[in-house]
Amino acid sequence: MPAATTEEIMLELVDEDGTTIGTAGKLSAHEAPGRLHRAFSVFLFDTAGRMLIQQRAPGKYHSPGVWSNSCCGHPYPGESPLAAAARRTYEELGVSPALLAEAGTVTYHHPDPASGLVEHEYNHLFAGLLRTAPRPAADEVGAVAFVTADELAERHAGDPFSAWFMTVLDAARPAIRELTGPASGW
């Protein structure tokens, strides 16, 4: 019987303009000093304008146990960021957003001191609405919470969050405000 093989997940390497220039294995792209690669971040809201945040599962190889945006990940080479965002939202949270709209892009370079890995990403941002309760996958998500802008600020002051969280949130805020309305406080 042949030995089982694990196929390495490949990511798209990009230049500063977001143009694909090649591929690299997921771990290799995140090893210091980090290679600029395509990623996405999703911000989901309920009908009351509260943001869904997730605590990354404790078994994740990168940034385990910290709070972050609703969903994030990497498109496969040739997969559109929107398709990847919808796919991973379902895989991680067990839901399909009622609406998922582009919210811009942002590039950043954030080292993770705990793991030594680096997030050097050209990140496509998305904001969306949920009309059903999340059913998180335990191997991906440790916990979820819906929070107002004030509740998020309190949590962020006291709980560990991903290194990239504020960067992607701040970049997505204009689209989030458009989606949730001015009364939501985002």
Side-chain angles (χ1 to χ4, degrees), residues 10-24:
M10 300 301 287
L11 307 183
E12 281 187 355
L13 299 177
V14 299
D15 65 16
E16 292 293 329
D17 296 321
T19 302
T20 301
I21 58 170
T23 60

Side-chain angles (χ1 to χ4, degrees), residues 19-32:
T19 302
T20 301
I21 58 170
T23 60
K26 185 176 180 181
L27 185 56
S28 169
H30 289 93
E31 290 174 335

Side-chain angles (χ1 to χ4, degrees), residues 23 52 59 142 157 162 166-167:
T23 60
L52 175 66
S162 64
M166 287 309 295
T167 301

Side-chain angles (χ1 to χ4, degrees), residues 51-57 63-70 72 141-147 152 155-156 158-166:
M51 180 190 297
L52 175 66
I53 57 174
Q54 71 155 280
Q55 185 179 37
R56 292 168 61 86
S63 302
V66 301
W67 287 92
S68 200
N69 47 294
S70 307
C72 56
V141 180
V144 295
F146 280 99
V147 295
L152 177 63
R155 260 187 203 258
H156 193 262
D159 293 336
F161 272 74
S162 64
W164 61 88
F165 179 74
M166 287 309 295

Side-chain angles (χ1 to χ4, degrees), residues 11-154:
L11 307 183
E12 281 187 355
L13 299 177
V14 299
D15 65 16
E16 292 293 329
D17 296 321
T19 302
T20 301
I21 58 170
T23 60
K26 185 176 180 181
L27 185 56
S28 169
H30 289 93
E31 290 174 335
R35 298 172 76 187
L36 185 59
H37 59 275
R38 192 174 312 284
F40 65 84
S41 290
V42 177
F43 296 89
L44 298 174
F45 296 84
D46 65 10
T47 55
R50 298 178 305 163
M51 180 190 297
L52 175 66
I53 57 174
Q54 71 155 280
Q55 185 179 37
R56 292 168 61 86
K60 299 282 268 187
Y61 80 99
H62 187 351
S63 302
V66 301
W67 287 92
S68 200
N69 47 294
S70 307
C71 178
C72 56
H74 306 92
Y76 296 131
E79 181 182 32
S80 77
L82 178 61
R87 172 180 55 79
R88 286 301 293 162
T89 298
Y90 186 78
E91 291 170 357
E92 288 187 18
L93 299 169
V95 292
S96 295
L99 169 73
L100 193 58
E102 291 183 10
T105 60
V106 64
T107 301
Y108 53 81
H109 187 272
H110 290 300
D112 176 28
S115 68
L117 299 174
V118 176
E119 292 289 358
H120 191 194
E121 296 183 330
Y122 185 93
N123 198 307
H124 298 261
L125 308 170
F126 298 93
L129 292 175
L130 281 183
R131 300 207 189 278
T132 57
R135 299 178 314 279
D139 61 332
E140 295 285 346
V141 180
V144 295
F146 280 99
V147 295
T148 65
D150 289 340
E151 291 166 341
L152 177 63
E154 288 175 27

